[in-house]
């Protein structure tokens, strides 16, 4: 799916019983093991932590990711995307 410049892919996060995580709008998966998954989404960098994490499905073409395991936390890291006030935008 192609998006015009300035538009980002839709981003959804669904957690079911802390055992299954589905994410859309995935652009890249950086690092992963059985306790952490770091990924880039259309809304910024995301980190998933837990135990026995396994990537069940990954489609970068479709932007979909499915993770199984015990999910402890899902967080976004502030990567500076669309952040800051007037002066921050001036200095970019």
């Amino acid at each position: 799916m192609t998006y015009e410049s300035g538009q980002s892919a839709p981003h959804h996060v669904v957690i079911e019983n802390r055992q299954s995580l589905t994410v859309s709008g995935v652009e890249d998966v950086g690092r992963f093991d059985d306790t952490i998954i770091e990924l880039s989404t259309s809304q910024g960098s995301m980190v998933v932590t837990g135990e026995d994490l396994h990537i069940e499905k990954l489609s970068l073409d479709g932007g979909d990711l499915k993770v199984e395991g015990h999910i402890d936390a899902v967080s976004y890291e502030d990567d500076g995307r669309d952040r800051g006030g007037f002066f921050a935008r001036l200095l970019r």
Side-chain angles (χ1 to χ4, degrees), residues 33-45:
D33 61 31
D34 63 340
T35 61
I36 189 167
I37 300 172
E38 296 177 355
L39 55 137
S40 298
T41 74
S42 59
Q43 296 296 307
S45 297

Side-chain angles (χ1 to χ4, degrees), residues 16 18-22 33-34 37 48 50-57 65-71:
E16 297 177 34
R18 293 181 66 179
Q19 300 298 315
S20 176
L21 169 72
T22 305
D33 61 31
D34 63 340
I37 300 172
V48 180
E51 297 175 11
D52 300 321
L53 299 178
H54 303 284
I55 295 177
E56 294 293 320
K57 174 187 172 189
L65 171 75
K66 182 167 185 178
V67 175
E68 299 286 334
H70 180 78
I71 299 161

Side-chain angles (χ1 to χ4, degrees), residues 8-37:
S8 59
H11 177 63
H12 301 281
V13 178
V14 178
I15 300 174
E16 297 177 34
N17 298 320
R18 293 181 66 179
Q19 300 298 315
S20 176
L21 169 72
T22 305
V23 183
S24 65
V26 175
E27 297 172 349
D28 190 28
V29 174
R31 179 181 92 126
F32 65 92
D33 61 31
D34 63 340
T35 61
I36 189 167
I37 300 172

